[in-house]
């Protein structure tokens, strides 16, 4: 082992031990796992500080600035981790369905924090205190070195574990199981993985010249994709007057497609421009054509923003759309900033001559400005200040309160499982609403969702099942001509509202389900049966359930699906078009056994 690699290996081993301790505490539900905010703070700091230590090595920063950087990283990410712990914490002591990691939908926050840390560390390394300016060539070198280091370390770590498992399987094939058992123990896996990561970073730093050659090779290949990409951009803009925007908006993912195109264009242009010290490796005529072709990105980014705004205006803000708005802000900033090189008259007078003499002269200042904007925005988006989950909850609640969405169509599951503590607190408030019949219906749906113990399962807690009043408010009673208008029996309401293991029974107790009941004596025994129509949406087909009372309890006689909607069934019943008919083929009885005959050509739909 090289002497320079020992500190990194030791840091990796210490990190692995801390992560193992936190994992063990979370598994056993002991301190600090019993304090979710503390657990989150320790977890995030234990990941972020060693990563900052690895990536800031050999970055040219003075020792004092690097120490300060590590302290700031530890404080910032401990705060973000505490917030993540609060977001994933259970609502109360009895709510054990959630843990810190798994149901807080923190992927956006984690990815945003990673990008913020990467960019912030690069900016710190590129700041020149003497000139009070950022050194762009230094920013370029550090950013690409760290990106390639991180990628190579990830690959090497995976290869290390592939070798371990291959060796363990080989030894296991001759009856020696101790290696396989050892490497699967967390007390082994966490520290050893940390040591491998630290050692891989140390080797990468000692072989930095290899990364430089690999970077040049990679950038040279990607640079030649820019002309092809911008050719598609020019063709797209040229055909817009002919095709219009309707086909684009009909895809329902227009903003995603356009922003992805813009991201590739920005990436490929930076591959061609690199640190700006050398001219691009294009023929002169091609380099001149690429400059005006870049102006198509103004149209791409502008229409992407329009498409995103239409979705937000129509369906409200969600977490994904909030992150989409952030990406659009960056895309528009890059598009405008780079386009200023093509239109020098838009630049300050001091920049005009430089822009005319240099290919895409505004790349460096634009990249620095947008990096600062990105770090500032990510600091807000990953914190409570502008958390996209909180913004999404507020927007969706506002739509519900304005009446833009019906209580039965509102996505209560989004509040429960996709928006962390903000959504669960909002769901609790909805569950306590009183007042108008609409408020009562919303409260019933919210209580039913809170009773759910898993996102997609049917395992609703029986103690928190919808009340009889909640379910009655959600059920529509249908009647046919000549019906006497009988009221729903309490026993039927109790049957429909209770969850359980009733295979293929109606899901009227489920939030989002719309149910209608027709009381009718279908078998002419003098007792009213119930035809329950269960639908998940206005445009969906229904599940039809025939229920009959059996010793003061209800049981399901039969169930089938059909493509007709709930509205179609309701209208047909009201017109008297739903009737019973004698079977074409009688049942066949052999002794006490009875066999039902069904014609294979019959179609129930």
């Amino acid at each position: 082992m090289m002497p320079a690699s020992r500190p990194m290996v030791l840091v990796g081993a210490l990190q692995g031990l801390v992560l193992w301790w936190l994992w063990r505490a979370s598994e056993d539900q002991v301190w600090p796992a019993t304090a979710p905010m503390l657990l989150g703070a320790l977890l995030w700091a234990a990941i972020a500080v060693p990563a900052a230590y690895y990536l800031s090595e050999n970055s040219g920063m003075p020792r004092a600035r690097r120490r300060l950087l590590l302290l700031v990283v530890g404080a910032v990410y401990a705060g973000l981790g505490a917030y993540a712990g609060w977001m994933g914490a259970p609502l109360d002591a009895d709510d054990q369905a959630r843990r810190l990691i798994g149901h807080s939908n923190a992927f956006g926050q984690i990815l945003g924090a990673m990008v913020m840390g990467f960019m912030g560390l690069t900016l710190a390394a590129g700041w020149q205190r003497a000139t009070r300016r950022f050194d762009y060539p230094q920013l370029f070198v550090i950013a690409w070195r760290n990106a390639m280091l991180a990628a190579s370390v990830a690959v090497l770590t995976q290869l290390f574990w592939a070798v371990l498992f291959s060796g363990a399987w080989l030894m296991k094939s001759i009856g020696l199981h101790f290696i396989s058992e050892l490497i699967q123990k967390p007390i082994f896996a966490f520290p050893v993985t940390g040591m491998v990561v630290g050692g891989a970073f140390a080797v990468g730093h000692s072989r930095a010249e290899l990364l430089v050659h690999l970077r040049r090779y990679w950038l040279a290949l990607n640079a030649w994709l820019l002309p092809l990409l911008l050719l598609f951009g020019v063709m797209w803009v040229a055909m817009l007057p002919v095709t219009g925007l309707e086909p684009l908006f009909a895809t329902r993912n227009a903003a995603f497609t356009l922003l992805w195109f813009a991201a590739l264009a920005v990436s490929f242009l930076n591959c061609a421009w690199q640190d700006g010290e050398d001219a691009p490796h294009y023929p002169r005529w091609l380099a001149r054509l690429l400059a005006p072709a870049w102006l198509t990105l103004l149209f791409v980014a502008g229409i992407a923003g329009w498409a995103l705004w239409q979705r937000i205006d129509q369906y409200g803000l969600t977490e994904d759309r909030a992150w989409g708005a952030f990406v659009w802000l960056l895309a528009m900033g890059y598009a405008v900033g780079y386009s200023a090189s093509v239109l020098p008259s838009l630049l300050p007078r001091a920049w005009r001559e430089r822009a005319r003499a240099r290919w895409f002269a505004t790349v460096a200042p634009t990249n620095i400005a947008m990096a600062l904007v990105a770090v500032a925005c990510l600091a807000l988006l990953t914190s409570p200040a502008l958390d996209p989950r909180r913004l999404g909850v507020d927007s969706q609640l506002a739509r519900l309160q304005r009446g833009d969405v019906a209580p039965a169509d509102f996505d209560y599951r989004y509040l429960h499982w996709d928006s962390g503590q903000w959504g669960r607190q909002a769901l609790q408030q909805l569950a306590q609403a009183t007042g108008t019949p609409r408020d009562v219906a919303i409260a019933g749906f919210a209580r039913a969702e809170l009773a759910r113990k898993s996102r997609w399962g049917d395992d609703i807690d029986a103690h928190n099942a919808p009340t009889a009043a909640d379910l009655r408010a959600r059920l529509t009673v249908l009647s046919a001509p000549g019906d006497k208008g009988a009221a729903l029996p309490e026993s039927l309401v109790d049957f429909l509202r209770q969850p359980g293991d009733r295979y293929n029974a109606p899901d009227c107790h489920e939030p989002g389900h719309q149910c209608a009941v027709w009381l009718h004596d279908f078998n002419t025994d003098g007792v009213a049966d119930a035809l329950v129509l269960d639908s998940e949406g206005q445009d969906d087909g229904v599940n039809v359930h025939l229920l009959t009372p059996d010793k003061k309890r209800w049981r399901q006689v039969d169930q089938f699906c059909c493509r007709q909607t709930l509205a179609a069934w309701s209208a047909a019943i009201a017109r008297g078009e739903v009737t019973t008919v004698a079977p074409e083929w009688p049942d066949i009885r052999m002794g006490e056994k009875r066999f039902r005959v069904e014609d294979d050509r019959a179609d129930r739909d």
Side-chain angles (χ1 to χ4, degrees), residues 444 447-448 451 460-468 470 474 497-499 509:
R447 283 193 293 269
I460 291 180
D461 186 354
H463 296 292
N464 294 317
T467 65
D470 290 339
R474 291 158 52 180
R497 75 181 186 89
Q498 291 294 337
H509 60 280

Side-chain angles (χ1 to χ4, degrees), residues 346-365:
L346 300 178
L347 294 172
R349 182 173 298 179
W351 281 84
R352 293 177 187 174
E353 291 302 322
R354 186 178 179 183
R356 291 189 179 97
R358 192 175 186 184
W359 190 71
F360 277 99
T362 58
V363 167

